[in-house]
Amino acid sequence: MASTVTDRAISAIKQMVVDGTLKPGDRLPTEAELSETIGVSRNSLREAVKALSVIRVLDVRQGDGTYVTALEPEQLLESLAFVLDLHQDSSYVEILEIRRLLEPAAVEQACPHLTDEDFVQLEQTMEDLDDSSSIQELVAADITFHQLINHRCPNDYLSSLLDSLAGSTARARVWRGLTDDSSVERTLAEHRRILDALRARRPDLARTYAAAHVAGVESWLLAQGEPPTE
């Protein structure tokens, strides 16, 4: 019963945010006022506030009150990144599948928004790599390359979600790099295809190359099984 009442309190506060009664940055009414308005006990309200603070909808400031956060995508998706980190050992393939479905769309949307400065930075991520680069450097450059593109996607929720997915699959890419002598050469070639398509303002080609890039890691992982725990 307690959890049901708490869920009702969560739904009520969420609705207040959705309908604009509470806006980003607003301070919530006092505990007494809000519990009376919603029709729940103070204990249930505290549990609801605690739950909403965990997913970064609310910000509890000791001695100052509780506020609605800025509700920015990167804030709201922090909890997802945490969950992905907890389950990554058993979910690499599933996470890569999600990334393969979503990232090509982000690349396609980003294409018209990339600037000359962006292209210079993208080129630099590739120039910094050579045969002497470590696998960790390769993976870091790969993440940077994709983040630079995804952050130009006008859909902030999509780009923030992809940031979480990229970090969660980093260990799988390190594992692949350790077992594949051509990892640097292959990654650079795949990045080059994506970058050339973007520079040519061919979002359709960029989307296709981005899907193939992620699919390569996904297919390899399916063939290998789960990565080692250490």
XYZ file of all heavy atoms in Angstrom, residues 135 138 171-183 186 220-221 224 227-228:
178
model
N 45.227 0.612 -27.536
C 43.806 0.341 -27.740
C 42.964 1.346 -26.959
O 41.918 1.807 -27.432
C 43.473 -1.097 -27.292
C 44.227 -2.100 -28.166
C 41.971 -1.339 -27.380
C 43.996 -1.932 -29.649
N 42.751 4.422 -28.932
C 41.855 4.216 -30.063
C 40.396 4.354 -29.641
O 39.607 5.043 -30.303
C 42.088 2.831 -30.670
C 41.081 2.369 -31.731
C 41.128 3.290 -32.945
C 41.346 0.926 -32.129
N 34.249 -0.938 -22.998
C 35.063 -2.107 -22.647
C 34.989 -3.190 -23.720
O 35.968 -3.897 -23.988
C 34.647 -2.687 -21.292
C 35.671 -3.670 -20.736
C 35.571 -3.764 -19.226
N 34.361 -4.433 -18.816
C 34.267 -5.765 -18.666
N 35.315 -6.528 -18.912
N 33.158 -6.314 -18.262
N 33.812 -3.322 -24.362
C 33.684 -4.288 -25.449
C 34.597 -3.909 -26.614
O 35.204 -4.764 -27.260
C 32.225 -4.362 -25.921
N 34.727 -2.599 -26.866
C 35.586 -2.157 -27.968
C 37.064 -2.322 -27.622
O 37.893 -2.603 -28.488
C 35.251 -0.708 -28.332
C 33.987 -0.612 -29.183
C 33.605 0.822 -29.462
N 32.951 1.436 -28.331
C 32.671 2.734 -28.253
N 33.051 3.547 -29.217
N 32.029 3.217 -27.211
N 37.396 -2.148 -26.352
C 38.775 -2.412 -25.927
C 39.092 -3.890 -26.142
O 40.163 -4.255 -26.654
C 38.973 -2.024 -24.446
C 40.315 -2.553 -23.942
C 38.904 -0.513 -24.266
N 38.184 -4.749 -25.750
C 38.369 -6.197 -25.911
C 38.570 -6.543 -27.379
O 39.463 -7.313 -27.746
C 37.154 -6.926 -25.341
C 37.225 -8.424 -25.445
C 38.345 -9.206 -25.312
C 36.149 -9.311 -25.697
N 38.019 -10.533 -25.458
C 36.671 -10.632 -25.693
C 34.788 -9.137 -25.904
C 35.879 -11.748 -25.905
C 33.986 -10.244 -26.107
C 34.533 -11.526 -26.105
N 37.748 -5.956 -28.249
C 37.910 -6.240 -29.667
C 39.276 -5.764 -30.167
O 39.948 -6.454 -30.940
C 36.796 -5.553 -30.470
C 36.819 -5.935 -31.953
C 35.885 -5.079 -32.779
N 35.759 -5.600 -34.133
C 35.195 -4.936 -35.130
N 34.715 -3.725 -34.923
N 35.113 -5.477 -36.328
N 39.670 -4.572 -29.713
C 40.957 -4.034 -30.146
C 42.128 -4.902 -29.734
O 43.101 -5.058 -30.475
N 42.032 -5.502 -28.546
C 43.111 -6.354 -28.051
C 43.243 -7.645 -28.847
O 44.301 -8.286 -28.847
C 42.870 -6.682 -26.572
C 43.030 -5.512 -25.586
C 42.574 -5.921 -24.196
C 44.473 -5.022 -25.551
N 42.181 -8.054 -29.517
C 42.209 -9.315 -30.254
C 42.224 -9.106 -31.768
O 42.103 -10.066 -32.528
C 40.977 -10.171 -29.889
O 39.783 -9.439 -30.178
C 40.988 -10.536 -28.418
N 42.372 -7.871 -32.210
C 42.328 -7.565 -33.645
C 43.489 -6.636 -33.993
O 43.484 -5.458 -33.650
C 40.991 -6.905 -33.989
C 40.833 -6.661 -35.479
O 41.813 -6.848 -36.229
O 39.730 -6.270 -35.887
N 44.483 -7.164 -34.686
C 45.675 -6.380 -35.014
C 45.393 -5.228 -35.974
O 46.175 -4.275 -36.059
C 46.747 -7.292 -35.637
C 47.288 -8.300 -34.634
O 47.190 -8.018 -33.423
O 47.781 -9.354 -35.068
N 44.294 -5.288 -36.706
C 43.982 -4.240 -37.683
C 42.970 -3.230 -37.157
O 42.359 -2.492 -37.930
C 43.434 -4.880 -38.964
O 42.211 -5.556 -38.709
N 42.775 -3.175 -35.830
C 41.716 -2.343 -35.256
C 41.894 -0.864 -35.578
O 40.924 -0.171 -35.905
C 41.646 -2.538 -33.738
O 42.894 -2.274 -33.136
N 41.266 -0.293 -39.395
C 39.855 -0.459 -39.732
C 39.020 0.702 -39.210
O 38.155 1.236 -39.918
C 39.332 -1.775 -39.146
C 37.894 -2.099 -39.559
C 37.295 -3.199 -38.715
N 37.277 -2.821 -37.313
C 38.095 -3.304 -36.401
N 39.024 -4.183 -36.725
N 38.019 -2.912 -35.137
N 30.881 -8.753 -34.443
C 32.061 -9.378 -33.862
C 31.745 -9.901 -32.461
O 32.122 -11.017 -32.098
C 33.201 -8.376 -33.807
C 34.460 -8.935 -33.198
C 35.451 -9.621 -33.833
C 34.844 -8.857 -31.813
N 36.439 -9.972 -32.932
C 36.085 -9.518 -31.688
C 34.259 -8.293 -30.693
C 36.740 -9.625 -30.465
C 34.912 -8.404 -29.471
C 36.144 -9.065 -29.368
N 31.020 -9.090 -31.676
C 30.705 -9.477 -30.305
C 29.780 -10.686 -30.276
O 29.931 -11.583 -29.440
C 30.057 -8.298 -29.573
C 29.982 -8.388 -28.051
C 31.371 -8.530 -27.457
C 29.281 -7.163 -27.476
N 31.878 -13.709 -30.729
C 32.849 -14.002 -29.666
C 32.204 -14.462 -28.361
O 32.812 -15.178 -27.592
C 33.695 -12.755 -29.369
C 34.499 -12.267 -30.543
C 35.494 -13.295 -31.028
O 36.196 -13.904 -30.227
N 35.565 -13.479 -32.343
N 32.393 -10.688 -23.107
C 33.770 -10.279 -22.841
C 34.238 -10.768 -21.478
O 33.434 -11.047 -20.613
C 33.691 -8.741 -22.877
C 32.281 -8.441 -22.505
C 31.470 -9.538 -23.103
N 35.526 -10.885 -21.287
C 36.057 -11.319 -19.981
C 35.754 -10.289 -18.913
O 35.566 -9.109 -19.197
C 37.566 -11.426 -20.238
C 37.828 -10.497 -21.383
C 36.610 -10.564 -22.248
